[in-house]
Amino acid sequence: MRLLLILLLLACLSACSLTPILERPAAPVPASYPMVANAAASTLPANAVGWRAMFGDPRLQRLIELALSNNRDFRLATLNVQVAQAQAHIQHAARLPAVGLDGTRTRERTQSTDGSGQARREVNKQTGVSVALSAFELDLFGRMRALSDAAFARYLASEQGRDAAQVALVGAVAEAYFAQRLADEQLQLTERTLADWRQSLELARLLKQAEQSSSLDVAQAEGQVALAEADLEARRRALAQADNALQLLVGSELPGDLPVALPLERQSVIAQLPAGLPAELLLNRPDLRQAEQMLVAANADIGAARAAFFPQISLTASFGYASTSLDGLFDPAGQVWRFAPQISQPLFQGGRLRAELRLAEVRKSEAVAQYERAIQAAFREVADALAGIGTFERQIEAQMRAVLAAERRLRLSDLRYRAGVEGRLELLDAQRQLHASRQALLDSRREEIANQIALYKALGGGLH
């Protein structure tokens, strides 16, 4: 008991720490975002808006659920958290005494010679039981504590990395889904356009038979139909590739009972989120919190490297009983104990300890640079997404007017062509303009949704 009290007293003395005070660098970005005035605020910040609220399409919500369950990259990020947690527990356990119960039972045959020269054989028995304290380092200079703090910080960083991977996965699934929706609607538009152009070709042939048009008109119509057929195959290929990309992110074959997809123009996606101030990103984005925890770990490594220059004191002790018979094993006369403190002071390491300290300091500088770079990247992502707020809305409105104008022009060109007022070339140009305008409108709607997803991710979108 007295020995244990001494050990506990010595353990309490291990309060010194050589870890430097961590001073987080100031955010190397402007104090406000450009064009922030164009971003109308919603009632909740992005990190408080879950992906279910952000994306209202039931089909997309089901796909995100499947991805969170089956995506292999996200599964690896989750396993990395468990690995870091176990490593942190191992490092923390190294700061505590390791106590074990040892039991021995030995039988030994010996041979000796008595005074008359006769050989005498004896069998000796020994039984022992003891409580042993393995080599326990008294952390007088904080080396073990610094290693434990570094491991714990890396565990926290892995948790933030998992959250960052989840935000990235949700955004990637949403982007792939809307890319698939765009490819599907572009395919449908091409199919409708091809059907219209084939009808126009039949009309050109009928007019040729009636000698109301020339072979040139028929050739122009045939060329236009051939281009539309080629575009149709390209759209089919794009849709198949979009399906493959989405299936890869989901991590499994897409089930057949998914809800019906909504068209792009009816997608329910929160369009406006409050950007706040750049400093708030440090609290909202898990990747920035991950970089911060890695900085904390690198700073703790410096403390461990500094403490390695000082003496390391370790204790080994045991207390128990030993007896030649089991009946007298716990006889007070058979008490045995052993106490073996050890001190180790580095004298010559060939510069290894200084090199390890220098390495720890350089890695901290790297962690600072990575932390600052992550902040700058986050600032740019938010600024880029904010630049799209408002401009996409006006762009789509203008593109819709262009589609209406192209439709009106096509109707007039068709009437004038049937009346023989103008040639086939003007009608072909009107048809192509309408098709291109409709394609551009689909592209604009897809880009607007992609910008909303980018802003959601850049602001540290919610996890649920």
Side-chain angles (χ1 to χ4, degrees), residues 365-442:
S365 298
E366 289 180 347
V368 171
Q370 291 172 353
Y371 180 58
E372 293 175 338
R373 183 180 62 179
I375 294 175
Q376 291 175 335
F379 180 88
R380 179 191 171 180
E381 290 172 1
V382 175
D384 287 346
L386 289 177
I389 302 298
T391 59
F392 272 112
E393 182 177 356
R394 294 190 295 270
Q395 178 183 351
I396 290 176
E397 290 177 354
Q399 190 61 45
M400 291 179 64
R401 294 197 303 270
V403 170
L404 294 176
E407 290 175 347
R408 187 168 61 254
R409 179 194 174 189
L410 178 59
R411 288 194 301 268
L412 295 175
S413 296
D414 185 63
L415 292 175
R416 291 171 64 85
Y417 173 70
R418 292 173 184 271
V421 176
E422 61 185 25
R424 176 74 184 178
L425 186 60
E426 177 65 26
L427 177 61
L428 291 176
D429 185 65
Q431 290 174 334
R432 292 169 181 167
Q433 181 186 10
L434 176 59
H435 180 67
S437 298
R438 287 172 173 170
Q439 290 280 15
L441 179 59
L442 287 176

Side-chain angles (χ1 to χ4, degrees), residues 45-55 64 167 170-171 174 269-270 273 285 381 385 449-464:
N47 66 327
V49 178
W51 54 264
R52 296 180 187 277
M54 180 69 184
F55 308 112
I64 293 175
V167 172
V170 170
V269 179
I270 296 179
L273 293 167
R285 283 185 53 137
E381 290 172 1
I449 294 176
N451 186 77
Q452 294 163 359
I453 297 173
L455 181 60
Y456 180 68
K457 291 167 53 181
L459 295 175
L463 302 177
H464 303 289

